[in-house]
Amino acid sequence: MSSLANQLVRAEKEEIARAIRTLLGRPLVSLHDDAAAFDLIRKRRQPLIQWFDYFCGWRLVVEPRQGYARLVKVRSEASATRPARRRRTTRAPFDRRRYTLLCLCAAELLTSPVTTIGMLAQRVVQAAAVEAGVPAFDPVRSEERAAFVDVLKQLEHYGAITAMDGATDSYLDDEDAKVLYRVDTTRVIRLLAAPVPPSRIAADEPMERVLGTLTSEPRYGGDEPTETQRNLWARHSLIRRLLDEPVVYRDELTPEQSAYAASLAGRQIIRRAAEEAGFVLEERAEGFLLIDADATATDTKFPDDGSHAKVAALLMLDLLVSAGPVRAARVDAEAAELLRRFPQWAKAYQSDGGGPRLAADALEVLELFGLARRTGDRVAALPAAARYRVDRGTAVQEDS
């Protein structure tokens, strides 16, 4: 093969790897928001579709004319680690009320390609009134309008609606605000990543079983899988976890996943998946870790000084690694001492009870990244925590 041909093959592999990591970090990529990323996915869509289906069992939908690509990621089990977040200043996670309004808005948006904020609000009022178990929506109340605006801004972020005239935020202070939206009904439909359409759920299905029914995947054989289907599920479920979770520990694997990871074929496929996606695979006695050097595939980083909780988490991690498992009260005390030493830092926590709140938020970060685990009153570092060391010369920079 000529040098030019080698360069072209290498460039194609690098483009496919970059597109894979882009979709893992942003399962919905639009031409409007990132033209370069969408053009790359559109260009390499066929090998991308094949890659995600073979290694993960995930479906990739690329719509060149409508200008978006949607990776339909299905998790093996429900998780609250990546909630929708409000697009306004706080970036707080969606609560139950906002998720309810999101579902109601998405359903009502399917009825028309154009709507106004007032018309949509009234349709949501009517829909909530007839849905059993759904609290009434009252746009007269400011907290209800705030929740409604958070939902609409999230839908704007997804490209499901576009404000043609007016601004969504104006509804916060004025129930009679005028905002005109164009609705992309196809994209609204694509937002739901569920193998089973909700329309197939029986009306009398118990709520505790609805999520399991929506996310069931018939290709794996249900309760009576064949040997081939069991192996396929072991491969897909394990690689999904590797791609979706910061670290995967062997003692958290199912027996099927553990056997697959220990097999010669399984190890080869895991390494091949990592290489083709442009990851560096760390495989140790305790588990697996995929490293993305340019952080394209991640939606959040650690270490990171983007929040006070993450800064505190790094300092708490040093305590957990050096002192071994400690009581939660000691972590609270360390956080309180940190606030005492730096009174101009983390002002949101500089009040009564600030130490325990900062400690709780820091531990949440560590648990999210698979670095620590809280069991009862004890907090312990996990094996991946050994990767991090705090320089003893490190100082917390106080807020100006």
Side-chain angles (χ1 to χ4, degrees), residues 259-306:
Y260 185 82
S263 69
L264 176 60
R267 292 198 301 271
Q268 290 176 337
I269 288 178
I270 290 171
R271 291 167 184 166
R272 178 181 152 201
E275 179 183 357
E276 292 183 7
F279 291 107
V280 175
L281 173 66
E282 278 198 14
E283 183 178 356
R284 299 180 182 272
E286 300 87 356
F288 305 88
L289 180 70
L290 290 180
I291 300 173
D292 178 15
D294 56 12
T296 302
T298 185
D299 54 352
T300 184
K301 301 176 184 178
F302 184 83
D304 180 19
D305 60 1

mmCIF file of all heavy atoms in Angstrom, residues 259-306:
data_model
loop_
_atom_site.group_PDB
_atom_site.id
_atom_site.type_symbol
_atom_site.label_atom_id
_atom_site.label_comp_id
_atom_site.label_asym_id
_atom_site.label_seq_id
_atom_site.Cartn_x
_atom_site.Cartn_y
_atom_site.Cartn_z
ATOM 1 N N ALA A 259 -17.401 -13.147 33.289
ATOM 2 C CA ALA A 259 -16.901 -14.254 32.474
ATOM 3 C C ALA A 259 -16.493 -13.764 31.090
ATOM 4 O O ALA A 259 -15.468 -14.196 30.544
ATOM 5 C CB ALA A 259 -17.973 -15.333 32.362
ATOM 6 N N TYR A 260 -17.266 -12.837 30.526
ATOM 7 C CA TYR A 260 -16.936 -12.310 29.207
ATOM 8 C C TYR A 260 -15.621 -11.537 29.253
ATOM 9 O O TYR A 260 -14.761 -11.688 28.379
ATOM 10 C CB TYR A 260 -18.065 -11.406 28.710
ATOM 11 C CG TYR A 260 -17.861 -10.909 27.300
ATOM 12 C CD1 TYR A 260 -18.199 -11.708 26.211
ATOM 13 C CD2 TYR A 260 -17.307 -9.662 27.050
ATOM 14 C CE1 TYR A 260 -17.999 -11.268 24.913
ATOM 15 C CE2 TYR A 260 -17.103 -9.215 25.760
ATOM 16 C CZ TYR A 260 -17.447 -10.027 24.695
ATOM 17 O OH TYR A 260 -17.234 -9.593 23.412
ATOM 18 N N ALA A 261 -15.445 -10.695 30.300
ATOM 19 C CA ALA A 261 -14.233 -9.896 30.419
ATOM 20 C C ALA A 261 -13.000 -10.764 30.624
ATOM 21 O O ALA A 261 -11.878 -10.374 30.261
ATOM 22 C CB ALA A 261 -14.375 -8.905 31.575
ATOM 23 N N ALA A 262 -13.189 -11.952 31.214
ATOM 24 C CA ALA A 262 -12.061 -12.849 31.475
ATOM 25 C C ALA A 262 -11.727 -13.736 30.285
ATOM 26 O O ALA A 262 -10.636 -14.324 30.246
ATOM 27 C CB ALA A 262 -12.370 -13.725 32.692
ATOM 28 N N SER A 263 -12.625 -13.847 29.322
ATOM 29 C CA SER A 263 -12.397 -14.730 28.174
ATOM 30 C C SER A 263 -11.444 -14.086 27.178
ATOM 31 O O SER A 263 -11.326 -12.852 27.106
ATOM 32 C CB SER A 263 -13.718 -15.055 27.478
ATOM 33 O OG SER A 263 -14.243 -13.897 26.837
ATOM 34 N N LEU A 264 -10.766 -14.901 26.401
ATOM 35 C CA LEU A 264 -9.822 -14.393 25.397
ATOM 36 C C LEU A 264 -10.548 -13.541 24.369
ATOM 37 O O LEU A 264 -10.102 -12.426 24.044
ATOM 38 C CB LEU A 264 -9.106 -15.553 24.720
ATOM 39 C CG LEU A 264 -8.146 -15.180 23.581
ATOM 40 C CD1 LEU A 264 -7.037 -14.268 24.101
ATOM 41 C CD2 LEU A 264 -7.564 -16.431 22.940
ATOM 42 N N ALA A 265 -11.682 -14.050 23.854
ATOM 43 C CA ALA A 265 -12.442 -13.295 22.850
ATOM 44 C C ALA A 265 -12.950 -11.981 23.428
ATOM 45 O O ALA A 265 -12.918 -10.941 22.762
ATOM 46 C CB ALA A 265 -13.611 -14.137 22.343
ATOM 47 N N GLY A 266 -13.432 -12.023 24.683
ATOM 48 C CA GLY A 266 -13.947 -10.815 25.315
ATOM 49 C C GLY A 266 -12.880 -9.754 25.463
ATOM 50 O O GLY A 266 -13.103 -8.572 25.174
ATOM 51 N N ARG A 267 -11.686 -10.150 25.924
ATOM 52 C CA ARG A 267 -10.602 -9.182 26.091
ATOM 53 C C ARG A 267 -10.202 -8.572 24.754
ATOM 54 O O ARG A 267 -9.918 -7.376 24.667
ATOM 55 C CB ARG A 267 -9.390 -9.862 26.750
ATOM 56 C CG ARG A 267 -9.624 -10.266 28.205
ATOM 57 C CD ARG A 267 -8.302 -10.510 28.931
ATOM 58 N NE ARG A 267 -7.522 -11.553 28.279
ATOM 59 C CZ ARG A 267 -7.616 -12.848 28.555
ATOM 60 N NH1 ARG A 267 -8.498 -13.266 29.448
ATOM 61 N NH2 ARG A 267 -6.840 -13.733 27.947
ATOM 62 N N GLN A 268 -10.176 -9.403 23.716
ATOM 63 C CA GLN A 268 -9.809 -8.886 22.391
ATOM 64 C C GLN A 268 -10.827 -7.870 21.885
ATOM 65 O O GLN A 268 -10.461 -6.823 21.326
ATOM 66 C CB GLN A 268 -9.685 -10.055 21.403
ATOM 67 C CG GLN A 268 -8.480 -10.945 21.651
ATOM 68 C CD GLN A 268 -8.450 -12.150 20.726
ATOM 69 O OE1 GLN A 268 -9.481 -12.575 20.188
ATOM 70 N NE2 GLN A 268 -7.262 -12.722 20.545
ATOM 71 N N ILE A 269 -12.111 -8.145 22.085
ATOM 72 C CA ILE A 269 -13.152 -7.235 21.602
ATOM 73 C C ILE A 269 -13.148 -5.942 22.403
ATOM 74 O O ILE A 269 -13.322 -4.849 21.839
ATOM 75 C CB ILE A 269 -14.527 -7.932 21.657
ATOM 76 C CG1 ILE A 269 -14.606 -9.005 20.568
ATOM 77 C CG2 ILE A 269 -15.659 -6.924 21.500
ATOM 78 C CD1 ILE A 269 -15.888 -9.790 20.534
ATOM 79 N N ILE A 270 -12.939 -6.027 23.708
ATOM 80 C CA ILE A 270 -12.871 -4.812 24.528
ATOM 81 C C ILE A 270 -11.708 -3.930 24.071
ATOM 82 O O ILE A 270 -11.852 -2.713 23.919
ATOM 83 C CB ILE A 270 -12.722 -5.185 26.017
ATOM 84 C CG1 ILE A 270 -14.026 -5.802 26.543
ATOM 85 C CG2 ILE A 270 -12.359 -3.948 26.849
ATOM 86 C CD1 ILE A 270 -13.895 -6.397 27.926
ATOM 87 N N ARG A 271 -10.546 -4.548 23.842
ATOM 88 C CA ARG A 271 -9.380 -3.777 23.391
ATOM 89 C C ARG A 271 -9.610 -3.185 22.011
ATOM 90 O O ARG A 271 -9.210 -2.048 21.740
ATOM 91 C CB ARG A 271 -8.144 -4.669 23.398
ATOM 92 C CG ARG A 271 -7.697 -5.059 24.814
ATOM 93 C CD ARG A 271 -6.689 -6.184 24.815
ATOM 94 N NE ARG A 271 -6.345 -6.594 26.179
ATOM 95 C CZ ARG A 271 -5.704 -7.701 26.478
ATOM 96 N NH1 ARG A 271 -5.307 -8.521 25.503
ATOM 97 N NH2 ARG A 271 -5.439 -8.005 27.734
ATOM 98 N N ARG A 272 -10.264 -3.948 21.147
ATOM 99 C CA ARG A 272 -10.550 -3.453 19.798
ATOM 100 C C ARG A 272 -11.516 -2.270 19.850
ATOM 101 O O ARG A 272 -11.330 -1.272 19.151
ATOM 102 C CB ARG A 272 -11.131 -4.586 18.961
ATOM 103 C CG ARG A 272 -11.510 -4.182 17.548
ATOM 104 C CD ARG A 272 -12.099 -5.354 16.793
ATOM 105 N NE ARG A 272 -13.031 -4.923 15.768
ATOM 106 C CZ ARG A 272 -13.966 -5.691 15.239
ATOM 107 N NH1 ARG A 272 -14.092 -6.951 15.641
ATOM 108 N NH2 ARG A 272 -14.784 -5.227 14.326
ATOM 109 N N ALA A 273 -12.547 -2.365 20.702
ATOM 110 C CA ALA A 273 -13.510 -1.270 20.836
ATOM 111 C C ALA A 273 -12.809 -0.007 21.325
ATOM 112 O O ALA A 273 -13.048 1.099 20.809
ATOM 113 C CB ALA A 273 -14.631 -1.659 21.806
ATOM 114 N N ALA A 274 -11.940 -0.152 22.315
ATOM 115 C CA ALA A 274 -11.222 1.005 22.845
ATOM 116 C C ALA A 274 -10.327 1.635 21.785
ATOM 117 O O ALA A 274 -10.303 2.861 21.613
ATOM 118 C CB ALA A 274 -10.393 0.586 24.059
ATOM 119 N N GLU A 275 -9.602 0.796 21.064
ATOM 120 C CA GLU A 275 -8.682 1.304 20.047
ATOM 121 C C GLU A 275 -9.432 2.019 18.926
ATOM 122 O O GLU A 275 -9.039 3.114 18.505
ATOM 123 C CB GLU A 275 -7.861 0.147 19.470
ATOM 124 C CG GLU A 275 -6.886 0.578 18.390
ATOM 125 C CD GLU A 275 -6.126 -0.592 17.784
ATOM 126 O OE1 GLU A 275 -6.322 -1.731 18.256
ATOM 127 O OE2 GLU A 275 -5.350 -0.370 16.843
ATOM 128 N N GLU A 276 -10.508 1.418 18.438
ATOM 129 C CA GLU A 276 -11.239 2.009 17.312
ATOM 130 C C GLU A 276 -11.928 3.311 17.700
ATOM 131 O O GLU A 276 -12.188 4.154 16.840
ATOM 132 C CB GLU A 276 -12.246 1.005 16.755
ATOM 133 C CG GLU A 276 -11.592 -0.184 16.075
ATOM 134 C CD GLU A 276 -12.600 -1.147 15.461
ATOM 135 O OE1 GLU A 276 -13.813 -0.821 15.448
ATOM 136 O OE2 GLU A 276 -12.186 -2.226 14.997
ATOM 137 N N ALA A 277 -12.237 3.478 18.992
ATOM 138 C CA ALA A 277 -12.871 4.712 19.445
ATOM 139 C C ALA A 277 -11.850 5.764 19.884
ATOM 140 O O ALA A 277 -12.236 6.868 20.257
ATOM 141 C CB ALA A 277 -13.828 4.416 20.599
ATOM 142 N N GLY A 278 -10.576 5.416 19.854
ATOM 143 C CA GLY A 278 -9.547 6.379 20.218
ATOM 144 C C GLY A 278 -9.312 6.522 21.703
ATOM 145 O O GLY A 278 -8.790 7.543 22.164
ATOM 146 N N PHE A 279 -9.685 5.501 22.480
ATOM 147 C CA PHE A 279 -9.448 5.510 23.920
ATOM 148 C C PHE A 279 -8.161 4.761 24.247
ATOM 149 O O PHE A 279 -7.713 3.907 23.485
ATOM 150 C CB PHE A 279 -10.590 4.821 24.680
ATOM 151 C CG PHE A 279 -11.893 5.567 24.661
ATOM 152 C CD1 PHE A 279 -12.960 5.117 23.891
ATOM 153 C CD2 PHE A 279 -12.072 6.705 25.432
ATOM 154 C CE1 PHE A 279 -14.162 5.788 23.878
ATOM 155 C CE2 PHE A 279 -13.276 7.379 25.433
ATOM 156 C CZ PHE A 279 -14.325 6.932 24.657
ATOM 157 N N VAL A 280 -7.615 5.061 25.413
ATOM 158 C CA VAL A 280 -6.553 4.256 25.996
ATOM 159 C C VAL A 280 -7.202 3.401 27.081
ATOM 160 O O VAL A 280 -7.857 3.931 27.982
ATOM 161 C CB VAL A 280 -5.444 5.129 26.608
ATOM 162 C CG1 VAL A 280 -4.408 4.256 27.308
ATOM 163 C CG2 VAL A 280 -4.784 5.980 25.521
ATOM 164 N N LEU A 281 -7.060 2.094 26.974
ATOM 165 C CA LEU A 281 -7.672 1.178 27.932
ATOM 166 C C LEU A 281 -6.694 0.856 29.047
ATOM 167 O O LEU A 281 -5.584 0.395 28.796
ATOM 168 C CB LEU A 281 -8.095 -0.120 27.229
ATOM 169 C CG LEU A 281 -8.600 -1.248 28.147
ATOM 170 C CD1 LEU A 281 -9.903 -0.845 28.825
ATOM 171 C CD2 LEU A 281 -8.773 -2.546 27.347
ATOM 172 N N GLU A 282 -7.100 1.127 30.278
ATOM 173 C CA GLU A 282 -6.346 0.682 31.455
ATOM 174 C C GLU A 282 -7.070 -0.526 32.030
ATOM 175 O O GLU A 282 -8.222 -0.428 32.435
ATOM 176 C CB GLU A 282 -6.256 1.792 32.508
ATOM 177 C CG GLU A 282 -5.166 2.795 32.245
ATOM 178 C CD GLU A 282 -4.825 3.608 33.489
ATOM 179 O OE1 GLU A 282 -5.242 3.208 34.596
ATOM 180 O OE2 GLU A 282 -4.158 4.638 33.336
ATOM 181 N N GLU A 283 -6.397 -1.647 32.059
ATOM 182 C CA GLU A 283 -6.978 -2.880 32.592
ATOM 183 C C GLU A 283 -6.136 -3.332 33.771
ATOM 184 O O GLU A 283 -4.950 -3.626 33.627
ATOM 185 C CB GLU A 283 -7.016 -3.959 31.515
ATOM 186 C CG GLU A 283 -7.673 -5.247 31.959
ATOM 187 C CD GLU A 283 -7.740 -6.272 30.841
ATOM 188 O OE1 GLU A 283 -7.339 -5.946 29.702
ATOM 189 O OE2 GLU A 283 -8.182 -7.406 31.120
ATOM 190 N N ARG A 284 -6.739 -3.337 34.949
ATOM 191 C CA ARG A 284 -6.026 -3.723 36.158
ATOM 192 C C ARG A 284 -6.789 -4.823 36.883
ATOM 193 O O ARG A 284 -7.896 -5.182 36.500
ATOM 194 C CB ARG A 284 -5.833 -2.504 37.069
ATOM 195 C CG ARG A 284 -5.021 -1.392 36.422
ATOM 196 C CD ARG A 284 -4.839 -0.213 37.337
ATOM 197 N NE ARG A 284 -4.103 0.862 36.681
ATOM 198 C CZ ARG A 284 -2.796 0.984 36.656
ATOM 199 N NH1 ARG A 284 -2.042 0.061 37.251
ATOM 200 N NH2 ARG A 284 -2.202 1.986 36.044
ATOM 201 N N ALA A 285 -6.188 -5.321 37.938
ATOM 202 C CA ALA A 285 -6.826 -6.397 38.690
ATOM 203 C C ALA A 285 -8.179 -5.970 39.233
ATOM 204 O O ALA A 285 -9.114 -6.771 39.327
ATOM 205 C CB ALA A 285 -5.923 -6.839 39.839
ATOM 206 N N GLU A 286 -8.305 -4.658 39.578
ATOM 207 C CA GLU A 286 -9.554 -4.185 40.177
ATOM 208 C C GLU A 286 -10.629 -3.864 39.155
ATOM 209 O O GLU A 286 -11.818 -3.857 39.487
ATOM 210 C CB GLU A 286 -9.306 -2.931 41.019
ATOM 211 C CG GLU A 286 -8.334 -3.126 42.169
ATOM 212 C CD GLU A 286 -6.886 -2.925 41.752
ATOM 213 O OE1 GLU A 286 -6.648 -2.712 40.534
ATOM 214 O OE2 GLU A 286 -6.010 -2.986 42.623
ATOM 215 N N GLY A 287 -10.244 -3.545 37.912
ATOM 216 C CA GLY A 287 -11.273 -3.184 36.944
ATOM 217 C C GLY A 287 -10.712 -2.548 35.691
ATOM 218 O O GLY A 287 -9.531 -2.735 35.346
ATOM 219 N N PHE A 288 -11.559 -1.767 35.029
ATOM 220 C CA PHE A 288 -11.235 -1.195 33.722
ATOM 221 C C PHE A 288 -11.492 0.306 33.738
ATOM 222 O O PHE A 288 -12.390 0.807 34.419
ATOM 223 C CB PHE A 288 -12.106 -1.815 32.626
ATOM 224 C CG PHE A 288 -12.049 -3.308 32.555
ATOM 225 C CD1 PHE A 288 -12.904 -4.089 33.327
ATOM 226 C CD2 PHE A 288 -11.143 -3.942 31.715
ATOM 227 C CE1 PHE A 288 -12.856 -5.472 33.265
ATOM 228 C CE2 PHE A 288 -11.088 -5.327 31.639
ATOM 229 C CZ PHE A 288 -11.947 -6.087 32.426
ATOM 230 N N LEU A 289 -10.728 1.016 32.903
ATOM 231 C CA LEU A 289 -10.867 2.458 32.775
ATOM 232 C C LEU A 289 -10.522 2.839 31.349
ATOM 233 O O LEU A 289 -9.481 2.436 30.823
ATOM 234 C CB LEU A 289 -9.927 3.162 33.759
ATOM 235 C CG LEU A 289 -9.906 4.678 33.791
ATOM 236 C CD1 LEU A 289 -11.203 5.197 34.388
ATOM 237 C CD2 LEU A 289 -8.723 5.181 34.618
ATOM 238 N N LEU A 290 -11.395 3.613 30.711
ATOM 239 C CA LEU A 290 -11.125 4.134 29.371
ATOM 240 C C LEU A 290 -10.717 5.592 29.495
ATOM 241 O O LEU A 290 -11.428 6.393 30.108
ATOM 242 C CB LEU A 290 -12.363 4.016 28.477
ATOM 243 C CG LEU A 290 -12.776 2.609 28.050
ATOM 244 C CD1 LEU A 290 -14.021 2.670 27.170
ATOM 245 C CD2 LEU A 290 -11.651 1.902 27.303
ATOM 246 N N ILE A 291 -9.578 5.941 28.919
ATOM 247 C CA ILE A 291 -9.051 7.302 29.003
ATOM 248 C C ILE A 291 -9.219 7.989 27.655
ATOM 249 O O ILE A 291 -8.777 7.485 26.627
ATOM 250 C CB ILE A 291 -7.573 7.294 29.409
ATOM 251 C CG1 ILE A 291 -7.401 6.621 30.770
ATOM 252 C CG2 ILE A 291 -7.021 8.717 29.437
ATOM 253 C CD1 ILE A 291 -5.964 6.425 31.165
ATOM 254 N N ASP A 292 -9.861 9.141 27.688
ATOM 255 C CA ASP A 292 -10.032 9.975 26.500
ATOM 256 C C ASP A 292 -9.136 11.191 26.676
ATOM 257 O O ASP A 292 -9.449 12.104 27.440
ATOM 258 C CB ASP A 292 -11.497 10.389 26.355
ATOM 259 C CG ASP A 292 -11.735 11.297 25.155
ATOM 260 O OD1 ASP A 292 -10.840 11.363 24.287
ATOM 261 O OD2 ASP A 292 -12.807 11.928 25.087
ATOM 262 N N ALA A 293 -8.016 11.202 25.977
ATOM 263 C CA ALA A 293 -6.989 12.223 26.217
ATOM 264 C C ALA A 293 -7.502 13.636 25.973
ATOM 265 O O ALA A 293 -7.096 14.575 26.668
ATOM 266 C CB ALA A 293 -5.775 11.948 25.333
ATOM 267 N N ASP A 294 -8.392 13.822 25.005
ATOM 268 C CA ASP A 294 -8.869 15.177 24.723
ATOM 269 C C ASP A 294 -10.245 15.462 25.325
ATOM 270 O O ASP A 294 -10.844 16.508 25.061
ATOM 271 C CB ASP A 294 -8.895 15.458 23.214
ATOM 272 C CG ASP A 294 -9.726 14.435 22.448
ATOM 273 O OD1 ASP A 294 -10.455 13.649 23.093
ATOM 274 O OD2 ASP A 294 -9.662 14.427 21.209
ATOM 275 N N ALA A 295 -10.765 14.527 26.139
ATOM 276 C CA ALA A 295 -12.023 14.725 26.889
ATOM 277 C C ALA A 295 -13.222 15.006 25.992
ATOM 278 O O ALA A 295 -14.178 15.647 26.414
ATOM 279 C CB ALA A 295 -11.852 15.846 27.913
ATOM 280 N N THR A 296 -13.198 14.495 24.768
ATOM 281 C CA THR A 296 -14.324 14.691 23.863
ATOM 282 C C THR A 296 -15.542 13.886 24.296
ATOM 283 O O THR A 296 -16.685 14.334 24.142
ATOM 284 C CB THR A 296 -13.925 14.284 22.427
ATOM 285 O OG1 THR A 296 -12.808 15.052 22.010
ATOM 286 C CG2 THR A 296 -15.077 14.491 21.446
ATOM 287 N N ALA A 297 -15.324 12.708 24.856
ATOM 288 C CA ALA A 297 -16.419 11.784 25.145
ATOM 289 C C ALA A 297 -17.069 12.013 26.499
ATOM 290 O O ALA A 297 -18.012 11.310 26.851
ATOM 291 C CB ALA A 297 -15.917 10.339 25.059
ATOM 292 N N THR A 298 -16.572 12.961 27.262
ATOM 293 C CA THR A 298 -17.097 13.141 28.614
ATOM 294 C C THR A 298 -17.971 14.380 28.715
ATOM 295 O O THR A 298 -17.766 15.358 27.992
ATOM 296 C CB THR A 298 -15.947 13.245 29.633
ATOM 297 O OG1 THR A 298 -16.490 13.292 30.944
ATOM 298 C CG2 THR A 298 -15.126 14.504 29.402
ATOM 299 N N ASP A 299 -18.958 14.313 29.601
ATOM 300 C CA ASP A 299 -19.824 15.462 29.829
ATOM 301 C C ASP A 299 -19.448 16.219 31.098
ATOM 302 O O ASP A 299 -19.980 17.285 31.372
ATOM 303 C CB ASP A 299 -21.292 15.031 29.902
ATOM 304 C CG ASP A 299 -21.517 13.935 30.932
ATOM 305 O OD1 ASP A 299 -20.528 13.411 31.464
ATOM 306 O OD2 ASP A 299 -22.687 13.590 31.181
ATOM 307 N N THR A 300 -18.521 15.686 31.877
ATOM 308 C CA THR A 300 -18.040 16.358 33.074
ATOM 309 C C THR A 300 -16.644 15.845 33.397
ATOM 310 O O THR A 300 -16.306 14.715 33.037
ATOM 311 C CB THR A 300 -18.994 16.126 34.265
ATOM 312 O OG1 THR A 300 -18.544 16.869 35.401
ATOM 313 C CG2 THR A 300 -19.091 14.661 34.636
ATOM 314 N N LYS A 301 -15.837 16.684 34.048
ATOM 315 C CA LYS A 301 -14.431 16.338 34.256
ATOM 316 C C LYS A 301 -14.069 16.340 35.740
ATOM 317 O O LYS A 301 -14.701 17.023 36.544
ATOM 318 C CB LYS A 301 -13.530 17.347 33.526
ATOM 319 C CG LYS A 301 -13.753 17.437 32.029
ATOM 320 C CD LYS A 301 -12.879 18.529 31.432
ATOM 321 C CE LYS A 301 -13.152 18.713 29.944
ATOM 322 N NZ LYS A 301 -12.332 19.812 29.363
ATOM 323 N N PHE A 302 -13.036 15.578 36.059
ATOM 324 C CA PHE A 302 -12.436 15.581 37.387
ATOM 325 C C PHE A 302 -10.978 15.144 37.255
ATOM 326 O O PHE A 302 -10.710 14.157 36.557
ATOM 327 C CB PHE A 302 -13.186 14.620 38.327
ATOM 328 C CG PHE A 302 -12.669 14.660 39.735
ATOM 329 C CD1 PHE A 302 -13.108 15.638 40.607
ATOM 330 C CD2 PHE A 302 -11.717 13.742 40.174
ATOM 331 C CE1 PHE A 302 -12.618 15.697 41.910
ATOM 332 C CE2 PHE A 302 -11.225 13.789 41.473
ATOM 333 C CZ PHE A 302 -11.683 14.772 42.339
ATOM 334 N N PRO A 303 -10.043 15.858 37.870
ATOM 335 C CA PRO A 303 -10.182 17.092 38.637
ATOM 336 C C PRO A 303 -10.616 18.264 37.753
ATOM 337 O O PRO A 303 -10.339 18.286 36.551
ATOM 338 C CB PRO A 303 -8.773 17.343 39.185
ATOM 339 C CG PRO A 303 -8.057 16.050 39.042
ATOM 340 C CD PRO A 303 -8.638 15.402 37.830
ATOM 341 N N ASP A 304 -11.265 19.224 38.406
ATOM 342 C CA ASP A 304 -11.787 20.378 37.678
ATOM 343 C C ASP A 304 -12.103 21.453 38.711
ATOM 344 O O ASP A 304 -12.735 21.171 39.735
ATOM 345 C CB ASP A 304 -13.054 19.975 36.911
ATOM 346 C CG ASP A 304 -13.644 21.123 36.122
ATOM 347 O OD1 ASP A 304 -12.915 22.094 35.875
ATOM 348 O OD2 ASP A 304 -14.830 21.057 35.767
ATOM 349 N N ASP A 305 -11.661 22.679 38.454
ATOM 350 C CA ASP A 305 -11.954 23.756 39.398
ATOM 351 C C ASP A 305 -13.218 24.506 39.018
ATOM 352 O O ASP A 305 -13.434 25.640 39.432
ATOM 353 C CB ASP A 305 -10.768 24.724 39.501
ATOM 354 C CG ASP A 305 -10.428 25.369 38.167
ATOM 355 O OD1 ASP A 305 -11.118 25.079 37.169
ATOM 356 O OD2 ASP A 305 -9.465 26.162 38.110
ATOM 357 N N GLY A 306 -14.086 23.847 38.235
ATOM 358 C CA GLY A 306 -15.318 24.487 37.790
ATOM 359 C C GLY A 306 -16.366 24.635 38.870
ATOM 360 O O GLY A 306 -17.347 25.360 38.688
#
